[in-house]
Amino acid sequence: MLSKLSVGFVALGLVATIIGCSNLGDTQGINVGPNFPSKTLYASNSNQNAISIYSNTVKDGGGPSYQIGGANTTLNGPQYIAFDRRQNLWVTNYNPSTKAAFLVEFEALATGDVDPLLSEQIAGQPRGIAITPKYPTPEPTGSVSPPPPIMVISSVIPTNIYPSEILLFLAGAAAPYQTIAGPHPNLKIPGGIAVDKSGHVYVANIGGATVEQFVLPTPSPSPKPTPTPKPTPTPTPTPSPSGSPSPTPSPTPTASPSPTPTPVNVYPRFAIGTKNGLVTPYSVALDESGNIYIVDQGRPKAGCNSSAGPAIYVFPPYNKKIPFTKPIRTIRGCNTELNSPTDIKVNSAGVIYVADSSASGKGIILSFAAGVGSGSNHNIAPQSTYTSPGAVTGIGIVP
């Protein structure tokens, strides 16, 4: 069971192997399942190296209808999950026993012991993952240009001077083009992460008791173009020497590591913190209106009815003219069954899903109706509880 202050990872035994490079959007995978509709729920099964898939017809108390799992998948401690604009599934993995971290991509609709499109080792201890959402088509009149398809991952890289980082990837890439790190971001064990339609990054700062928002840095060409050099005069030919020397073999090229980008040391655009009621925020999500949903594990050993117990907080979209104070909605209390929540997602209809564990340590997913928690009515029972074969860390909803 994940304790309320635990920021570790579930210990696992399966060692992953590296599988080639990405075929983002390729449709030649195997074990393609049924046409899972939008709002289908996925959950990482961290201690069994699998991804559970719950059909939209699953009833309260039910378990997954399908799963992605097996040696071919290379899943190795799956943590958090996200869908890209083609509905391909991306998974962060970290095995604390081997200290191996992998980024894995699966074709949309994949099920079973399927080969991934990508399985690449990455640095550090990755957790949250999010991808810029698809922009409406056609674009709304007067709207700003949509952000490019960029993936963001929260991670802790212990060997770095500032180990807590946000990694930024171009679509389909397995190496970051940029990172957000340094003293100004004030990151301390970043967890769940989200990106809005304007390209703002939201991250739950577990150790810092905040949820912060950053402006997504614009990718720049690498290497940067240099001015065209002026032409030089053609040299006068020299006579060929008598006899041809034996050619000298070129040295065998050696693989060089990908260049490490210089971190962007920026302050967050805003932060929601302890003065707004946060204690131990683990993840963050957004609804269609831009409201900010935060799942908080609360203070260790705090009772379920305590004001410092586990909770879901909802804040309105950021408005620089109206500072954040208290949440506009709260879900907290013994009826909620919240225990040690680790992730939160909101579907297009406003239904809330939370990855959690029961008091006995079993993995569960709690579902709450749209709009609940307003006024003083915080102690609300979930409308559905789904079971998991193992520990649930991250969840995702098919867009």
Side-chain angles (χ1 to χ4, degrees), residues 135 139-146:
Y135 213 69
E139 295 178 18
T141 303
S143 64
V144 297
S145 299

Side-chain angles (χ1 to χ4, degrees), residues 2-3 5-11 79 94 96 125 127 189 282 393:
L2 295 172
S3 67
L5 273 187
S6 170
V7 292
F9 299 88
V10 180
Q79 299 296 320
Y94 181 69
Q125 303 168 8
R127 281 185 172 83
I189 314 179
Y282 254 70
T393 300

Side-chain angles (χ1 to χ4, degrees), residues 159-182:
T159 54
N160 289 355
I161 297 175
Y162 293 95
S164 293
E165 300 189 5
I166 298 174
L167 312 178
L168 310 175
F169 299 76
L170 294 173
Y177 75 86
Q178 190 57 271
T179 66
I180 297 175

Side-chain angles (χ1 to χ4, degrees), residues 143-302:
S143 64
V144 297
S145 299
I150 288 175
M151 177 171 61
V152 295
I153 293 176
S154 64
S155 186
V156 175
I157 305 177
T159 54
N160 289 355
I161 297 175
Y162 293 95
S164 293
E165 300 189 5
I166 298 174
L167 312 178
L168 310 175
F169 299 76
L170 294 173
Y177 75 86
Q178 190 57 271
T179 66
I180 297 175
H184 293 166
N186 197 31
L187 295 170
K188 188 177 182 182
I189 314 179
I193 201 163
V195 185
D196 66 20
K197 294 178 181 178
S198 299
H200 299 122
V201 179
Y202 302 72
V203 61
N205 200 17
I206 301 172
T210 59
V211 166
E212 301 177 341
Q213 190 214 65
F214 296 91
V215 176
L216 190 65
T218 303
S220 58
S222 181
K224 294 182 179 180
T226 55
T228 304
K230 296 180 180 180
T232 55
T234 304
T236 304
T238 56
S240 301
S242 57
S244 299
S246 300
T248 303
S250 301
T252 303
T254 56
S256 58
S258 300
T260 303
T262 302
V264 177
N265 181 25
V266 293
Y267 288 103
R269 186 163 172 248
F270 69 81
I272 301 171
T274 54
K275 66 179 182 180
N276 310 111
L278 300 193
V279 180
T280 314
Y282 254 70
S283 192
V284 59
L286 306 168
D287 66 14
E288 294 291 309
S289 300
N291 293 310
I292 305 164
Y293 293 68
I294 300 168
V295 68
D296 195 304
Q297 289 195 359
R299 191 179 67 243
K301 299 182 181 180

Side-chain angles (χ1 to χ4, degrees), residues 12 51 67 75 130-131 133 150 160 164 220 226 256 316-317 358 360 394:
L12 302 150
I51 304 295
Q67 79 163 12
L75 289 171
I131 298 170
I150 288 175
N160 289 355
S164 293
S220 58
T226 55
S256 58
S358 66
S360 63

